[in-house]
Amino acid sequence: MTNFTMDTCIDANTPLGIDQACLSILNLYYTPVIFYAIPWEAYTGTGVPKSVLLPNSNTSLIISTKYPLHIYYQVTDHDRYWEYCHLTYTFKEHGSYGWNISQSSICSDIYVLREPTEVYLPIFAAFMTFVLLAVIWTTSKVIVRVVKGKLSPNVVHDDLDRLQDTESMTHSVIQTTEFSTRIHSVDTFRGISILLMIFVNNGGGEYVFFNHSAWFGLTVADLVLPWFAWIMGMTITISKRTELRVTISRMKLILHCLRRSAILILLGLMINSMHSKSLSDLRFPGVLQLLAVSYFVCATLETIFMKLHSEDTLLQFGYFAMFRDILHSWPQWLIMAGIILTHTLITFLMPVPGCPRGYLGPGGPYEYRGKYTNCTAGAAGYIDRSIFGDHMYSKTQHSVYGSIERYDPEGLMNTISSIFIVFLGVHAGKILLLYYKDSSKVIRWVAWAVITGLVAGILCNFEMRGGVIPVSKRMMTLSYVLTCSSFAFLLYTILYVLIDHKQIWRGAPFVYAGTNPIFLYVGHILTKDLFPWAWTIANPTHASRLAMNFWTTSLWGIIGYLLYRKHVIITI
């Protein structure tokens, strides 16, 4: 008589956690076998041993549903190991599944014992709730205006001719401005970026696509930092044009850029110190540090080479007028081409001890059967480990790839990549300034979205993990930079048409957060996990985590709105 052991994880009354399912494996062998499982994107020939399946037994295991799993089992026969039944399956949260293996090495397909739950309903409910609130808010405003007899069309003000208060560069940290003179599409884009960043930094409801990709590929969370850097580039163009028009010396502007970058770096180090025990392990790189360096490089280049309208009459009215956005800044393009070429050559030609040239993977024990264990992030990781030592990102236990070498997602090579993202935003700002017809601006933004998207697709072979240069946020590869920039061009085009051209939307509620992005970013880091922004959930689910993360994001959105209503901008 065959004996079966039953684990309680297939009991319908036993709760499973977030991204968990139950797999019951029926082993009909007369000897123990070893069960292996690994996320499909990490599988390159080696799996992770999960359990020893006893002979003639039914073993139930709790497995992760974050990524599709590649599973198989191993049998030992006279000191030789045989692997059988390799298959990949997408398990779904809170479902119970069965799998049968037998002495004949014939394996059944995965079958469902208990249907999984619908994990995306909370997202749909949240979306409908926000839509309802937006409709109620808009309707109430219309009713109030009608009652007061003040219903009038929106007037969108152009801030291209706004003169900034030059005294604020050297004296004031908090300044009051007339908000109606700002470009609302720019603030809206920046608000979308910062609120989305707050949402994903707080967990994003623990959904995979609201968290950063494991190593290769692209998720919603992977877009936020490049978008923020891209729109920062656009504001560089606008602000530098304005500052040069009020005859501020270029050297003074460069010193101002240096001062602003230094403050950003200091703020970044202060934030990093929250997670350090002493100065000996203080992390030097960080998000604000990356933004500071990329800002300084691009802002300095614009300060040195930017031409005022009076200096480029030929480009405005000559034969090359339709290309003046490129010709206007050809020195910056040459410098940027040199930066990209240098980054590419280092990535693919620099020798790294014990590693192949051009390696872009995570390393670890499962990457090609541990062949590249010490090669995490290739040349970029090697450079960061050599320069920063203990002063870099300290986490070495990867949820997918196991134990990997230290590397920094905001390290030196990634910072160089971010410079190009900011520069593409600078170029988008050039289009905004140099062309007067809205149709001319829109056509060029869309064209750049297509160009950057096509080049990115060619580099990665239009795959998440493929091509000469795969898409990787962890490495900030060129294909990743171009992909994110393509989406940025496209999103800004839509916002510009809706807000500044057609004037059918004022950008609320994102426009409020977009006026004080650095304050909101630093504030949400300092208050993370503190009440009333967050609290401990005893038995978390996607719904409960999503509700809390939306609350956290909304609370910071409200703070941004209050600052907006008070006409307060906190700058550095």
Side-chain angles (χ1 to χ4, degrees):
M1 180 177 180
T2 303
N3 296 319
F4 296 95
T5 60
M6 187 69 69
D7 193 282
T8 56
C9 87
I10 63 171
D11 185 352
N13 297 320
T14 301
L16 292 168
I18 294 176
D19 294 326
Q20 288 185 342
C22 182
L23 176 62
S24 178
I25 306 174
L26 178 61
N27 175 23
L28 297 179
Y29 275 82
Y30 295 111
T31 59
V33 301
I34 304 175
F35 172 70
Y36 287 79
I38 190 171
W40 170 243
E41 66 177 78
Y43 178 70
T44 55
T46 303
V48 182
K50 293 294 184 180
S51 178
V52 175
L53 307 180
L54 299 178
N56 294 322
S57 67
N58 191 340
T59 304
S60 296
L61 304 171
I62 295 178
I63 58 174
S64 173
T65 62
K66 276 192 173 184
Y67 308 100
L69 285 183
H70 184 79
I71 62 176
Y72 63 95
Y73 68 92
Q74 186 182 84
V75 178
T76 304
D77 183 18
H78 297 94
D79 296 327
R80 299 185 66 181
Y81 299 93
W82 304 92
E83 295 177 359
Y84 297 103
C85 297
H86 283 261
L87 63 89
T88 303
Y89 191 84
T90 302
F91 297 92
K92 296 183 179 180
E93 186 177 275
H94 295 174
S96 286
Y97 301 87
W99 191 41
N100 301 338
I101 60 178
S102 65
Q103 194 77 34
S104 62
S105 302
I106 298 176
C107 303
S108 71
D109 293 330
I110 301 292
Y111 52 91
V112 178
L113 297 174
R114 185 176 71 234
E115 292 293 334
T117 58
E118 182 50 67
V119 296
Y120 302 118
L121 280 179
I123 296 179
F124 178 76
F127 175 76
M128 294 306 298
T129 299
F130 281 114
V131 169
L132 180 61
L133 290 174
V135 170
I136 294 174
W137 175 259
T138 303
T139 304
S140 63
K141 288 182 67 176
V142 172
I143 293 174
V144 170
R145 288 179 180 177
V146 171
V147 170
K148 291 184 177 181
K150 295 183 179 180
L151 185 62
S152 59
N154 255 340
V155 178
V156 176
H157 300 271
D158 183 4
D159 78 340
L160 297 182
D161 297 319
R162 176 171 58 91
L163 300 182
Q164 295 182 342
D165 182 7
T166 57
E167 292 297 319
S168 65
M169 296 182 186
T170 55
H171 299 290
S172 176
V173 173
I174 301 179
Q175 62 176 346
T176 302
T177 64
E178 181 55 52
F179 279 73
S180 61
T181 62
R182 300 176 65 89
I183 299 180
H184 288 243
S185 57
V186 172
D187 284 336
T188 302
F189 189 106
R190 195 160 42 201
I192 291 173
S193 300
I194 192 62
L195 290 180
L196 190 57
M197 186 180 294
I198 292 173
F199 176 67
V200 300
N201 283 353
N202 280 276
E206 302 301 325
Y207 288 99
V208 173
F209 43 81
F210 286 143
N211 284 268
H212 293 298
S213 54
W215 196 270
F216 297 105
L218 191 70
T219 66
V220 175
D222 294 332
L223 295 171
V224 292
L225 179 57
W227 280 2
F228 193 85
W230 187 91
I231 199 64
M232 182 176 68
M234 177 174 275
T235 58
I236 286 174
T237 306
I238 298 171
S239 63
K240 295 310 167 191
R241 202 288 295 264
T242 302
E243 290 164 354
L244 288 172
R245 286 181 60 187
V246 295
T247 64
I248 300 175
S249 70
R250 294 182 188 255
M251 181 56 67
K252 187 176 181 180
L253 290 180
I254 292 175
L255 292 176
H256 171 58
C257 294
L258 180 61
R259 182 186 68 87
R260 188 181 187 194
S261 298
I263 294 175
L264 281 174
I265 290 174
L266 180 60
L267 286 174
L269 292 174
M270 291 171 60
I271 291 174
N272 287 353
S273 67
M274 297 170 57
H275 309 288
S276 299
K277 298 179 181 178
S278 64
L279 291 177
S280 62
D281 65 348
L282 175 64
R283 180 191 177 200
F284 289 166
V287 171
L288 292 182
Q289 294 91 313
L290 177 144
L291 293 174
V293 173
S294 54
Y295 166 82
F296 177 75
V297 172
C298 292
T300 300
L301 289 176
E302 282 305 295
T303 302
I304 295 173
F305 294 109
M306 175 176 276
K307 297 179 181 180
L308 299 179
H309 287 318
S310 58
E311 302 175 24
D312 62 352
T313 305
L314 179 62
L315 292 182
Q316 289 188 59
F317 305 106
Y319 292 106
F320 303 104
M322 66 183 301
F323 301 110
R324 61 178 177 267
D325 56 319
I326 300 176
L327 298 176
H328 186 275
S329 54
W330 66 265
Q332 295 97 306
W333 273 105
L334 286 179
I335 294 172
M336 207 54 53
I339 291 175
I340 296 170
L341 179 61
T342 301
H343 182 278
T344 303
L345 292 176
I346 292 174
T347 299
F348 288 96
L349 298 182
M350 178 179 174
V352 179
C355 304
R357 294 177 189 247
Y359 181 73
L360 299 172
Y366 313 125
E367 182 79 346
Y368 297 102
R369 297 184 181 271
K371 184 178 179 181
Y372 305 140
T373 299
N374 301 319
C375 300
T376 301
Y382 179 72
I383 291 172
D384 288 340
R385 290 189 290 272
S386 301
I387 295 177
F388 299 117
D390 292 334
H391 299 283
M392 59 184 292
Y393 198 64
S394 60
K395 294 183 179 179
T396 58
Q397 192 62 36
H398 197 282
S399 60
V400 173
Y401 295 99
S403 180
I404 62 176
E405 288 290 308
R406 294 180 68 168
Y407 82 102
D408 204 297
E410 284 80 44
L412 181 61
M413 292 291 284
N414 287 10
T415 299
I416 295 175
S417 295
S418 71
I419 292 174
F420 187 48
I421 299 175
V422 176
F423 178 73
L424 289 174
V426 168
H427 187 75
K430 291 284 180 66
I431 295 173
L432 181 68
L433 293 179
L434 296 177
Y435 297 93
Y436 301 105
K437 292 183 178 181
D438 288 334
S439 58
S440 299
K441 300 175 185 179
V442 169
I443 290 172
R444 283 165 175 80
W445 286 326
V446 172
W448 278 102
V450 173
I451 292 171
T452 52
L454 283 177
V455 174
I458 293 171
L459 291 176
C460 69
N461 198 30
F462 293 94
E463 298 174 0
M464 284 298 184
R465 182 178 181 171
V468 179
I469 305 179
V471 176
S472 173
K473 189 271 177 190
R474 308 280 181 168
M475 297 286 296
M476 279 204 177
T477 57
L478 183 57
S479 59
Y480 166 78
V481 167
L482 292 173
T483 299
C484 295
S485 298
S486 176
F487 284 122
F489 275 110
L490 186 60
L491 175 61
Y492 183 76
T493 302
I494 295 172
L495 294 177
Y496 183 84
V497 170
L498 293 178
I499 297 171
D500 293 333
H501 178 51
K502 295 296 185 181
Q503 303 179 22
I504 59 178
W505 180 38
R506 288 183 58 85
F510 305 107
V511 67
Y512 311 130
T515 57
N516 286 288
I518 297 297
F519 172 77
L520 296 188
Y521 175 80
V522 174
H524 102 273
I525 293 293
L526 296 178
T527 59
K528 191 177 181 180
D529 300 326
L530 298 179
F531 186 83
W533 286 274
W535 52 88
T536 301
I537 301 176
N539 296 303
T541 62
H542 280 298
S544 61
R545 293 285 299 180
L546 185 68
M548 185 177 70
N549 297 154
F550 268 131
W551 162 252
T552 304
T553 307
S554 300
L555 189 55
W556 281 110
I558 292 171
I559 293 173
Y561 173 73
L562 294 177
L563 292 173
Y564 183 95
R565 287 297 301 269
K566 294 294 183 180
H567 287 198
V568 173
I569 298 180
I570 301 176
T571 63
I572 55 175

PDB file of all heavy atoms in Angstrom, residues 137-147 151:
ATOM      1  N   TRP A 137     -15.053  65.882  -8.607  1.00  0.00           N
ATOM      2  CA  TRP A 137     -14.327  67.131  -8.412  1.00  0.00           C
ATOM      3  C   TRP A 137     -14.556  68.097  -9.580  1.00  0.00           C
ATOM      4  O   TRP A 137     -14.839  69.271  -9.373  1.00  0.00           O
ATOM      5  CB  TRP A 137     -12.841  66.834  -8.260  1.00  0.00           C
ATOM      6  CG  TRP A 137     -11.969  68.054  -8.165  1.00  0.00           C
ATOM      7  CD1 TRP A 137     -11.216  68.604  -9.153  1.00  0.00           C
ATOM      8  CD2 TRP A 137     -11.761  68.879  -7.011  1.00  0.00           C
ATOM      9  NE1 TRP A 137     -10.554  69.709  -8.707  1.00  0.00           N
ATOM     10  CE2 TRP A 137     -10.864  69.901  -7.391  1.00  0.00           C
ATOM     11  CE3 TRP A 137     -12.234  68.832  -5.702  1.00  0.00           C
ATOM     12  CZ2 TRP A 137     -10.444  70.892  -6.496  1.00  0.00           C
ATOM     13  CZ3 TRP A 137     -11.808  69.818  -4.813  1.00  0.00           C
ATOM     14  CH2 TRP A 137     -10.934  70.825  -5.204  1.00  0.00           C
ATOM     15  N   THR A 138     -14.457  67.572 -10.812  1.00  0.00           N
ATOM     16  CA  THR A 138     -14.646  68.420 -11.992  1.00  0.00           C
ATOM     17  C   THR A 138     -16.067  68.947 -12.063  1.00  0.00           C
ATOM     18  O   THR A 138     -16.305  70.133 -12.341  1.00  0.00           O
ATOM     19  CB  THR A 138     -14.318  67.633 -13.271  1.00  0.00           C
ATOM     20  OG1 THR A 138     -12.984  67.124 -13.187  1.00  0.00           O
ATOM     21  CG2 THR A 138     -14.449  68.511 -14.491  1.00  0.00           C
ATOM     22  N   THR A 139     -17.023  68.068 -11.807  1.00  0.00           N
ATOM     23  CA  THR A 139     -18.430  68.470 -11.861  1.00  0.00           C
ATOM     24  C   THR A 139     -18.737  69.537 -10.812  1.00  0.00           C
ATOM     25  O   THR A 139     -19.427  70.527 -11.093  1.00  0.00           O
ATOM     26  CB  THR A 139     -19.337  67.246 -11.647  1.00  0.00           C
ATOM     27  OG1 THR A 139     -19.025  66.244 -12.612  1.00  0.00           O
ATOM     28  CG2 THR A 139     -20.802  67.643 -11.774  1.00  0.00           C
ATOM     29  N   SER A 140     -18.225  69.356  -9.616  1.00  0.00           N
ATOM     30  CA  SER A 140     -18.478  70.325  -8.553  1.00  0.00           C
ATOM     31  C   SER A 140     -17.892  71.691  -8.882  1.00  0.00           C
ATOM     32  O   SER A 140     -18.495  72.723  -8.609  1.00  0.00           O
ATOM     33  CB  SER A 140     -17.919  69.811  -7.223  1.00  0.00           C
ATOM     34  OG  SER A 140     -16.504  69.667  -7.293  1.00  0.00           O
ATOM     35  N   LYS A 141     -16.701  71.712  -9.509  1.00  0.00           N
ATOM     36  CA  LYS A 141     -16.087  72.985  -9.873  1.00  0.00           C
ATOM     37  C   LYS A 141     -16.909  73.701 -10.935  1.00  0.00           C
ATOM     38  O   LYS A 141     -17.082  74.925 -10.890  1.00  0.00           O
ATOM     39  CB  LYS A 141     -14.663  72.748 -10.377  1.00  0.00           C
ATOM     40  CG  LYS A 141     -13.678  72.361  -9.288  1.00  0.00           C
ATOM     41  CD  LYS A 141     -12.283  72.178  -9.833  1.00  0.00           C
ATOM     42  CE  LYS A 141     -11.720  73.491 -10.321  1.00  0.00           C
ATOM     43  NZ  LYS A 141     -10.312  73.348 -10.771  1.00  0.00           N
ATOM     44  N   VAL A 142     -17.423  72.934 -11.905  1.00  0.00           N
ATOM     45  CA  VAL A 142     -18.251  73.529 -12.949  1.00  0.00           C
ATOM     46  C   VAL A 142     -19.523  74.111 -12.353  1.00  0.00           C
ATOM     47  O   VAL A 142     -19.944  75.235 -12.686  1.00  0.00           O
ATOM     48  CB  VAL A 142     -18.580  72.487 -14.032  1.00  0.00           C
ATOM     49  CG1 VAL A 142     -19.605  73.051 -15.008  1.00  0.00           C
ATOM     50  CG2 VAL A 142     -17.316  72.072 -14.767  1.00  0.00           C
ATOM     51  N   ILE A 143     -20.139  73.365 -11.443  1.00  0.00           N
ATOM     52  CA  ILE A 143     -21.371  73.837 -10.820  1.00  0.00           C
ATOM     53  C   ILE A 143     -21.125  75.120 -10.034  1.00  0.00           C
ATOM     54  O   ILE A 143     -21.903  76.081 -10.104  1.00  0.00           O
ATOM     55  CB  ILE A 143     -21.957  72.736  -9.902  1.00  0.00           C
ATOM     56  CG1 ILE A 143     -22.426  71.545 -10.746  1.00  0.00           C
ATOM     57  CG2 ILE A 143     -23.104  73.292  -9.068  1.00  0.00           C
ATOM     58  CD1 ILE A 143     -22.890  70.362  -9.918  1.00  0.00           C
ATOM     59  N   VAL A 144     -20.034  75.135  -9.271  1.00  0.00           N
ATOM     60  CA  VAL A 144     -19.712  76.333  -8.482  1.00  0.00           C
ATOM     61  C   VAL A 144     -19.493  77.534  -9.380  1.00  0.00           C
ATOM     62  O   VAL A 144     -19.950  78.644  -9.103  1.00  0.00           O
ATOM     63  CB  VAL A 144     -18.465  76.066  -7.605  1.00  0.00           C
ATOM     64  CG1 VAL A 144     -17.970  77.356  -6.977  1.00  0.00           C
ATOM     65  CG2 VAL A 144     -18.796  75.053  -6.519  1.00  0.00           C
ATOM     66  N   ARG A 145     -18.781  77.344 -10.501  1.00  0.00           N
ATOM     67  CA  ARG A 145     -18.523  78.455 -11.409  1.00  0.00           C
ATOM     68  C   ARG A 145     -19.803  78.974 -12.040  1.00  0.00           C
ATOM     69  O   ARG A 145     -19.973  80.175 -12.242  1.00  0.00           O
ATOM     70  CB  ARG A 145     -17.546  78.009 -12.500  1.00  0.00           C
ATOM     71  CG  ARG A 145     -16.113  77.829 -11.997  1.00  0.00           C
ATOM     72  CD  ARG A 145     -15.207  77.378 -13.116  1.00  0.00           C
ATOM     73  NE  ARG A 145     -13.833  77.193 -12.640  1.00  0.00           N
ATOM     74  CZ  ARG A 145     -12.842  76.758 -13.391  1.00  0.00           C
ATOM     75  NH1 ARG A 145     -13.085  76.422 -14.655  1.00  0.00           N
ATOM     76  NH2 ARG A 145     -11.629  76.626 -12.888  1.00  0.00           N
ATOM     77  N   VAL A 146     -20.686  78.019 -12.404  1.00  0.00           N
ATOM     78  CA  VAL A 146     -21.958  78.433 -13.003  1.00  0.00           C
ATOM     79  C   VAL A 146     -22.775  79.233 -12.009  1.00  0.00           C
ATOM     80  O   VAL A 146     -23.342  80.280 -12.333  1.00  0.00           O
ATOM     81  CB  VAL A 146     -22.732  77.200 -13.499  1.00  0.00           C
ATOM     82  CG1 VAL A 146     -24.143  77.597 -13.914  1.00  0.00           C
ATOM     83  CG2 VAL A 146     -22.006  76.551 -14.672  1.00  0.00           C
ATOM     84  N   VAL A 147     -22.808  78.740 -10.772  1.00  0.00           N
ATOM     85  CA  VAL A 147     -23.580  79.434  -9.743  1.00  0.00           C
ATOM     86  C   VAL A 147     -23.033  80.834  -9.499  1.00  0.00           C
ATOM     87  O   VAL A 147     -23.771  81.801  -9.344  1.00  0.00           O
ATOM     88  CB  VAL A 147     -23.574  78.621  -8.427  1.00  0.00           C
ATOM     89  CG1 VAL A 147     -24.165  79.430  -7.295  1.00  0.00           C
ATOM     90  CG2 VAL A 147     -24.332  77.315  -8.607  1.00  0.00           C
ATOM     91  N   LEU A 151     -18.038  81.328 -15.032  1.00  0.00           N
ATOM     92  CA  LEU A 151     -17.567  80.271 -15.927  1.00  0.00           C
ATOM     93  C   LEU A 151     -16.891  80.905 -17.132  1.00  0.00           C
ATOM     94  O   LEU A 151     -17.505  81.640 -17.892  1.00  0.00           O
ATOM     95  CB  LEU A 151     -18.741  79.408 -16.380  1.00  0.00           C
ATOM     96  CG  LEU A 151     -18.393  78.189 -17.213  1.00  0.00           C
ATOM     97  CD1 LEU A 151     -17.528  77.234 -16.404  1.00  0.00           C
ATOM     98  CD2 LEU A 151     -19.638  77.497 -17.715  1.00  0.00           C
TER      99      LEU A 151
END
